[in-house]
Amino acid sequence: MKNGKKAFLFTIGSVMLTALFLLSPLNALPVYADEYDTYSGELDPFTGEPMIQSSGIGEVSTLSNRKMITEKMYFDFSRGEFAYPVDNGMADIYSNAADGMILTDPVKISIPEGYSVLVYRDGVLLDTAMEYKARGGYSVIVILNGDQVEVFTFRIVGSRTGETTMYKMPPYFRVDSVMINGIEQSHTRSEVDMQQEGLYEISYRCERTDIRYSLRVTVDHTPPQIVFEGIDDDGKARGPVSWSGLEAGEVIHVFKDGGEFLYEGDRLTQSGRYEVIVTDDAGNTVDRQFTILIYLDRNGFVFVGIIALVIGGLAGYLIWHRRNMKVR
């Protein structure tokens, strides 16, 4: 009887000790805590904590509020922006544009204090700003130890564009669907052919954050259908040059002898070397160069006629005077 009572008490005690151990705060740590001291894999460069590879293809999770997309681009969930570490992770450039992205919306760029960052659009250096809206291809560059290091690029297009013939997805982004004029199109995972004209609706997502994005834009590759009159095949004009067919939304710029020329109407009359550039709202351009040679217009003929009459009158007077001159 005594032995049975001792066995019963021993069993109760063991159960209580086990329960206390399981309820101990030490066992409330995350699953990875047991492996933390012996972890030998990759560490998150921002938190110093282990980076854990999930079972999903191409997905990487970290213990911070960031997720790595590429070695030089993260997504910061707390800001809802892409983070670009610079200077070995000592600072970050933030933007709503991923590296290689095409957007119709303005792009914001946050520059870390104490760093020199250059922004180029189509190769032209811009003044530093917090937001960029103008259409074109952008490159963001940081200066480190006197060297210029490109951080990321992006392109801004209007609601109509003729400048883009291919959208190659940013790294670890994939195309979900493509529609042209409301009709679904076949596509690859990594790029969209945009040579066909029409209204594009492109849906894509980042594989590592599962955040979805879209691009809605009308593709128009047809240049302005402007017609010039008065120019021969070798680019010479022996009189005025005029044009027709300029449509709404198209802009014309005239340059004469290397400088911008202010003109009136749709006709050029002065002699000189000209370049006329016509651009439509999709960014398509027509560039026409020609030379107007020296010529006589109606006013010129009138002037020549007056000069001829003056000379003729003077010659007649001299002849008359000679015939009637008396010799003494």
Side-chain angles (χ1 to χ4, degrees):
M1 185 68 179
K2 290 182 179 181
N3 291 336
K5 186 176 181 179
K6 289 181 179 180
F8 175 78
L9 292 174
F10 178 81
T11 302
I12 294 297
S14 299
V15 171
M16 292 178 66
L17 287 173
T18 301
L20 288 172
F21 176 80
L22 292 174
L23 294 174
S24 170
L26 294 174
N27 288 281
L29 294 172
V31 175
Y32 55 78
D34 293 335
E35 301 174 353
Y36 194 89
D37 292 338
T38 59
Y39 184 83
S40 60
E42 187 177 0
L43 296 178
D44 188 311
F46 301 96
T47 65
E49 297 173 331
M51 183 175 290
I52 303 171
Q53 181 77 35
S54 70
S55 58
I57 298 176
E59 296 180 357
V60 176
S61 61
T62 71
L63 303 182
S64 67
N65 59 357
R66 295 187 174 195
K67 183 162 286 191
M68 186 178 73
I69 300 175
T70 69
E71 291 183 355
K72 67 172 187 176
M73 180 174 69
Y74 286 71
F75 188 82
D76 191 308
F77 288 96
S78 63
R79 296 176 61 112
E81 294 179 319
F82 297 94
Y84 299 92
V86 295
D87 198 10
N88 295 320
M90 297 298 294
D92 300 297
I93 297 175
Y94 290 97
S95 177
N96 59 316
D99 186 18
M101 187 175 275
I102 297 178
L103 311 93
T104 57
D105 298 324
V107 172
K108 299 177 181 179
I109 300 176
S110 298
I111 299 173
E113 186 176 352
Y115 286 84
S116 180
V117 174
L118 307 177
V119 179
Y120 288 86
R121 177 170 63 87
D122 296 332
V124 178
L125 180 62
L126 304 177
D127 292 334
T128 302
M130 296 182 63
E131 187 175 84
Y132 298 88
K133 300 179 181 179
R135 297 185 304 187
Y138 289 77
S139 176
V140 180
I141 293 172
V142 64
I143 299 179
L144 297 173
N145 300 321
D147 296 326
Q148 295 190 10
V149 180
E150 186 175 78
V151 182
F152 67 105
T153 64
F154 59 91
R155 174 171 289 277
I156 298 177
V157 298
S159 58
R160 299 178 66 87
T161 182
E163 303 166 323
T164 302
T165 57
M166 177 74 69
Y167 187 3
K168 188 174 181 180
M169 291 289 110
Y172 295 102
F173 283 67
R174 61 169 295 174
V175 181
D176 286 332
S177 67
V178 177
M179 299 185 73
I180 303 178
N181 297 327
I183 302 174
E184 190 164 358
Q185 308 289 315
S186 59
H187 59 85
T188 66
R189 291 167 53 99
S190 59
E191 59 187 26
V192 178
D193 188 333
M194 300 179 71
Q195 297 186 70
Q196 180 180 335
E197 295 187 337
L199 174 61
Y200 281 70
E201 296 173 283
I202 303 171
S203 177
Y204 60 105
R205 63 187 172 90
C206 176
E207 294 179 311
R208 294 194 165 180
T209 63
D210 204 35
I211 297 177
R212 299 178 183 276
Y213 302 86
S214 64
L215 177 66
R216 179 184 172 90
V217 64
T218 297
V219 173
D220 175 9
H221 296 305
T222 303
Q225 302 299 295
I226 189 169
V227 178
F228 291 90
E229 297 178 358
I231 307 172
D232 58 25
D233 293 339
D234 60 355
K236 300 288 192 305
R238 291 166 176 79
V241 172
S242 59
W243 58 83
S244 60
L246 193 68
E247 298 183 357
E250 296 178 344
V251 179
I252 184 168
H253 291 280
V254 178
F255 300 87
K256 178 179 180 291
D257 298 328
E260 190 159 6
F261 180 69
L262 299 178
Y263 65 95
E264 293 183 0
D266 54 2
R267 194 165 181 260
L268 301 173
T269 58
Q270 297 182 22
S271 61
R273 295 180 294 105
Y274 287 87
E275 181 179 18
V276 179
I277 301 175
V278 185
T279 306
D280 64 16
D281 58 357
N284 301 301
T285 63
V286 169
D287 188 334
R288 190 67 187 270
Q289 300 182 35
F290 55 89
T291 300
I292 298 180
L293 303 175
I294 297 176
Y295 69 97
L296 292 177
D297 57 9
R298 184 176 60 182
N299 294 331
F301 281 112
V302 171
F303 178 76
V304 171
I306 292 173
I307 295 298
L309 288 174
V310 170
I311 293 174
L314 180 60
Y317 171 77
L318 291 174
I319 293 173
W320 177 87
H321 186 269
R322 173 176 288 184
R323 288 178 179 179
N324 292 277
M325 184 175 61
K326 296 180 179 180
V327 177
R328 294 180 180 180

